[in-house]
């Protein structure tokens, strides 16, 4: 997969990273979310941390995902500086 990422970067794509914290989910909500993310070929799950909520019968989730996005001219100009 790293070779594929380097190939896409050479074609003008950049990796975009997003971190999120989701609280008070039930397992069905988490399963649905993960299934949707997995169906996308352009989204990778980099980190998934699940903890049981202390008060409720729910779970809290920390999630880091990445995707590839075509670089814009503005992005290229910022990197050149």
């Amino acid at each position: 997969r790293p070779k594929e990422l380097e190939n896409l970067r050479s074609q003008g794509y950049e990796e975009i990273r997003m971190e999120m914290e989701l609280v008070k989910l039930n397992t069905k909500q988490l399963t649905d979310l993960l299934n949707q993310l997995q169906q996308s070929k352009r989204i990778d799950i980099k980190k998934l941390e699940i903890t049981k909520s202390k008060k409720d019968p729910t779970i809290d989730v920390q999630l880091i995902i990445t995707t590839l996005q075509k670089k814009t001219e503005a992005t290229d100009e910022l990197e050149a500086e």
Side-chain angles (χ1 to χ4, degrees):
R1 183 103 203 195
K3 193 171 188 172
E4 179 184 339
L5 182 59
E6 283 305 313
N7 185 35
L8 287 169
R9 282 186 177 150
S10 70
Q11 295 176 26
Y13 285 85
E14 64 182 330
E15 189 175 65
I16 305 297
R17 176 183 166 121
M18 184 171 137
E19 297 182 31
M20 58 188 108
E21 186 171 341
L22 308 167
V23 294
K24 296 186 179 182
L25 294 179
N26 62 43
T27 53
K28 181 176 181 348
Q29 290 172 313
L30 178 59
T31 302
D32 290 345
L33 173 65
L34 293 176
N35 282 332
Q36 288 177 350
L37 291 173
Q38 188 175 23
Q39 288 175 9
S40 174
K41 294 180 181 181
R42 295 189 65 174
I43 295 177
D44 286 324
I45 298 171
K46 298 291 186 180
K47 178 182 175 184
L48 174 65
E49 187 175 306
I50 303 168
T51 54
K52 184 178 173 185
S53 295
K54 292 178 172 56
K55 298 177 184 178
D56 301 315
T58 58
I59 53 178
D60 298 334
V61 177
Q62 288 187 333
L63 184 64
I64 298 175
I65 61 172
T66 60
T67 188
L68 294 174
Q69 176 178 312
K70 189 81 168 162
K71 285 185 183 181
T72 63
E73 289 182 24
T75 304
D76 290 340
E77 290 172 7
L78 287 174
E79 288 180 357
E81 293 177 357

